Amino acid sequence: MSNRAISKSVIKRLPVYLRILDNLIRRDVEIISSKELSNESGFTAEQIRKDLAYFGAFGTRGTGYNTSYLREKIIKIIGLDKKTDVIVLGAGHLGTALTRYNAEKNPYVNIVAVFDRDPAVIGQDISDVPVLPVEEAPALIRDYQIKVAIVTVPADEAQGVVDMITAAGVRAILNFAPAKIHVPEGVHVFNADLTIELQSLIYYSSAEDERFYRLKQEKLDKEKAQKS
Amino acid sequence: MSNRAISKSVIKRLPVYLRILDNLIRRDVEIISSKELSNESGFTAEQIRKDLAYFGAFGTRGTGYNTSYLREKIIKIIGLDKKTDVIVLGAGHLGTALTRYNAEKNPYVNIVAVFDRDPAVIGQDISDVPVLPVEEAPALIRDYQIKVAIVTVPADEAQGVVDMITAAGVRAILNFAPAKIHVPEGVHVFNADLTIELQSLIYYSSAEDERFYRLKQEKLDKEKAQKS
DNA sequence: TAGATTGTTAATCGATTAACAATC
DNA sequence: TAGATTGTTAATCGATTAACAATC
């Protein structure tokens, strides 16, 4: 019996399945096959079945999966069966956008507060979420036992903020700051580095094959030149 | 000689190397070893050397890599040697944040325009970038030969917008809409789905091991029950 | 020359895909 | 029972890591 941790790739697909199930249930679809889930998600049917099998047997052979039942199981697996308290660090445009979206549209989380150091925004509300001075973050983290934080502060402030919130008890960070942050053992960081996403996308935007073959050719030419 | 495309994992690490090199050059560091790059990036030295070797031999044995030279090479590889024109679809908080950040801080891209359908924002500027009516997007894409777009419209509008811009010539999309979008052959989509990131992070925020073993145990119990 | 570090080949590891028995 | 689809084991594929010769 393997007790190796489930891989991150698997965990990242679970919310995709959840969203599809939410949509299906809204359309009163009660049964779905792994084949159909594959069409909706873009992942293969085999992969979907294998992902789910890590956690149990949730389907019915010959029939498929009951959408409501599978949804509940996935919610339990991810840990979304109780609303998760989350704080946001940084009340800039990105922090505001994320606070709004999650406060208004994400039924699985509860945005408790946004923290900033700019007196001009402190005291305001974003979708009924208060903006508080950043110094108050540690106390609130301890009081509410906050485990999850979204960091949207500038790159040069990120490490300081992260040190502060991890010391206070935060265990999982969604980091939007374009900087590598260091965290204590046991704290999880997901980097949502939008500059890096955009730059790697640019690689694919132009004739990437031509560029590749050109570089490859240059390399071969150089090798040939050295031999002769 | 393999002419298989370079994997996406490799391409996604290149911008990380680029950022580190930018920082090193700012600090007047002229030479860096793969070992030191490993410390800065979190990737192993072997992996860094292998990534770079796909494109050529950019280092000096016994010494390391010249930061400026390597930077230039990586810029060429990604295709950042000329500023890339990019458009943004959706002038909400997220679209605004991304427009601002890239217009002001990202030297490798040129945000040409933001498109929205709300008359209240059309005609305004975001960091000197004009907000235009979304119907004008196809003409501008054709005129400027735009290949890269950032989509930040609501989920239910995403597919329509994507159909429009891909028909006009966009070949690479950074999609923030929480929806699966379908694109013609040859168009690249990177999903930056922040809800999914947040939900998978939540999995790691609480005692994921306990949860895993509990589910595993339930599964074993069920199997035992069936056998007896 | 001795020490250091690259570039590259081989070994390992892990994730995906294929196949199929189980079973509704 | 026949048809369908799951759950699981085995095979394949690809990416990472290890090892080391090349060479500055």
Side-chain angles (χ1 to χ4, degrees):
Chain A
M1 189 63 21
S2 154
N3 50 2
R4 187 145 41 73
I6 309 270
S7 89
K8 202 165 145 178
S9 339
V10 175
I11 301 303
K12 287 232 175 172
R13 285 191 290 267
L14 296 178
V16 178
Y17 305 148
L18 177 57
R19 168 176 302 151
I20 293 168
L21 291 167
D22 278 340
N23 289 336
L24 289 169
I25 290 164
R26 203 170 302 128
R27 283 164 36 210
D28 294 318
V29 178
E30 289 179 4
I31 301 291
I32 185 119
S33 68
S34 59
K35 188 90 187 303
E36 293 166 295
L37 275 174
S38 170
N39 290 146
E40 299 285 330
S41 64
F43 305 121
T44 66
E46 295 81 0
Q47 190 165 56
I48 293 168
R49 293 204 300 276
K50 198 150 200 306
D51 285 351
L52 298 175
Y54 284 114
F55 303 99
F58 305 135
T60 307
R61 289 169 197 231
T63 309
Y65 300 90
N66 178 293
T67 51
S68 302
Y69 181 72
L70 183 57
R71 173 176 176 276
E72 269 191 35
K73 286 297 179 181
I74 291 178
I75 283 177
K76 270 245 177 72
I77 292 164
I78 304 179
L80 299 173
D81 43 339
K82 295 189 194 83
K83 273 201 180 200
T84 302
D85 287 332
V86 176
I87 57 170
V88 176
L89 283 299
H93 274 281
L94 187 56
T96 302
L98 292 166
T99 302
R100 281 196 165 207
Y101 184 82
N102 284 299
E104 294 172 12
K105 302 263 177 69
N106 189 340
Y108 300 111
V109 305
N110 176 37
I111 308 287
V112 178
V114 184
F115 295 94
D116 205 292
R117 53 172 213 188
D118 179 3
V121 295
I122 291 168
Q124 296 186 347
D125 275 11
I126 299 168
S127 295
D128 292 331
V129 178
V131 182
L132 306 176
V134 68
E135 313 85 63
E136 293 180 16
L140 184 131
I141 291 165
R142 290 201 183 86
D143 289 352
Y144 285 74
Q145 303 267 320
I146 305 280
K147 299 292 172 218
V148 181
I150 301 175
V151 171
T152 70
V153 302
D156 56 340
E157 295 173 30
Q159 188 62 58
V161 160
V162 164
D163 290 343
M164 182 179 78
I165 62 180
T166 51
V170 164
R171 294 190 38 140
I173 295 171
L174 186 52
N175 175 42
F176 288 86
K180 179 167 167 52
I181 57 174
H182 302 264
V183 292
E185 183 98 20
V187 175
H188 295 268
V189 178
F190 278 21
N191 286 302
D193 195 316
L194 307 179
T195 305
I196 281 172
E197 292 289 321
L198 184 56
Q199 289 182 353
S200 30
L201 185 67
I202 286 171
Y203 174 86
Y204 291 102
S205 71
S206 59
E208 73 266 20
D209 302 313
E210 286 152 50
R211 185 170 47 230
F212 173 59
Y213 291 124
R214 176 163 51 74
L215 276 155
K216 207 77 187 176
Q217 198 54 47
E218 281 173 15
K219 194 182 167 186
L220 289 172
D221 291 350
K222 204 191 279 176
E223 282 168 10
K224 210 180 281 180
Q226 283 177 342
K227 273 181 195 156
S228 66
Chain B
M1 189 61 23
S2 152
N3 49 4
R4 189 145 39 74
I6 309 270
S7 89
K8 200 165 147 180
S9 338
V10 175
I11 301 304
K12 287 234 173 169
R13 284 191 291 266
L14 297 178
V16 178
Y17 305 149
L18 176 57
R19 167 176 302 150
I20 293 167
L21 292 167
D22 279 340
N23 289 336
L24 289 168
I25 290 164
R26 204 169 301 129
R27 283 165 35 208
D28 293 318
V29 178
E30 288 178 3
I31 300 291
I32 185 120
S33 67
S34 60
K35 188 90 189 301
E36 292 164 296
L37 276 173
S38 169
N39 290 146
E40 299 285 329
S41 65
F43 305 122
T44 66
E46 295 81 359
Q47 189 165 56
I48 293 167
R49 293 204 301 278
K50 196 148 205 301
D51 284 351
L52 298 175
Y54 284 115
F55 303 99
F58 306 135
T60 307
R61 290 168 197 233
T63 309
Y65 300 89
N66 177 294
T67 50
S68 301
Y69 181 73
L70 183 57
R71 174 176 174 276
E72 269 191 34
K73 286 296 180 183
I74 291 179
I75 282 176
K76 269 243 177 71
I77 292 164
I78 305 179
L80 299 173
D81 43 340
K82 295 190 195 81
K83 272 201 180 199
T84 303
D85 287 332
V86 176
I87 56 170
V88 176
L89 283 298
H93 273 280
L94 187 56
T96 302
L98 293 166
T99 302
R100 284 197 161 207
Y101 184 83
N102 284 298
E104 295 172 11
K105 302 264 177 70
N106 189 342
Y108 299 111
V109 305
N110 175 37
I111 307 287
V112 178
V114 184
F115 295 94
D116 205 296
R117 55 171 214 187
D118 179 2
V121 294
I122 291 167
Q124 297 187 345
D125 275 10
I126 300 168
S127 295
D128 291 330
V129 178
V131 181
L132 306 176
V134 67
E135 313 85 65
E136 292 179 17
L140 184 131
I141 291 166
R142 289 200 183 88
D143 289 353
Y144 285 74
Q145 303 268 321
I146 306 279
K147 299 292 173 217
V148 181
I150 301 175
V151 172
T152 72
V153 301
D156 56 340
E157 294 173 29
Q159 188 61 57
V161 161
V162 164
D163 290 344
M164 184 179 76
I165 63 180
T166 52
V170 164
R171 293 189 38 139
I173 295 171
L174 185 52
N175 176 42
F176 289 86
K180 180 169 166 46
I181 57 174
H182 301 265
V183 292
E185 184 98 18
V187 175
H188 295 268
V189 178
F190 277 21
N191 286 304
D193 196 316
L194 307 179
T195 305
I196 281 172
E197 292 288 321
L198 184 56
Q199 288 181 354
S200 28
L201 185 67
I202 287 172
Y203 174 86
Y204 291 101
S205 72
S206 59
E208 73 266 23
D209 302 313
E210 288 153 47
R211 184 169 48 232
F212 172 59
Y213 291 124
R214 176 162 50 75
L215 276 154
K216 208 76 186 176
Q217 200 53 51
E218 281 172 15
K219 194 181 167 187
L220 289 173
D221 291 348
K222 205 192 274 176
E223 282 167 13
K224 209 181 282 179
Q226 282 175 343
K227 272 180 195 154
S228 65

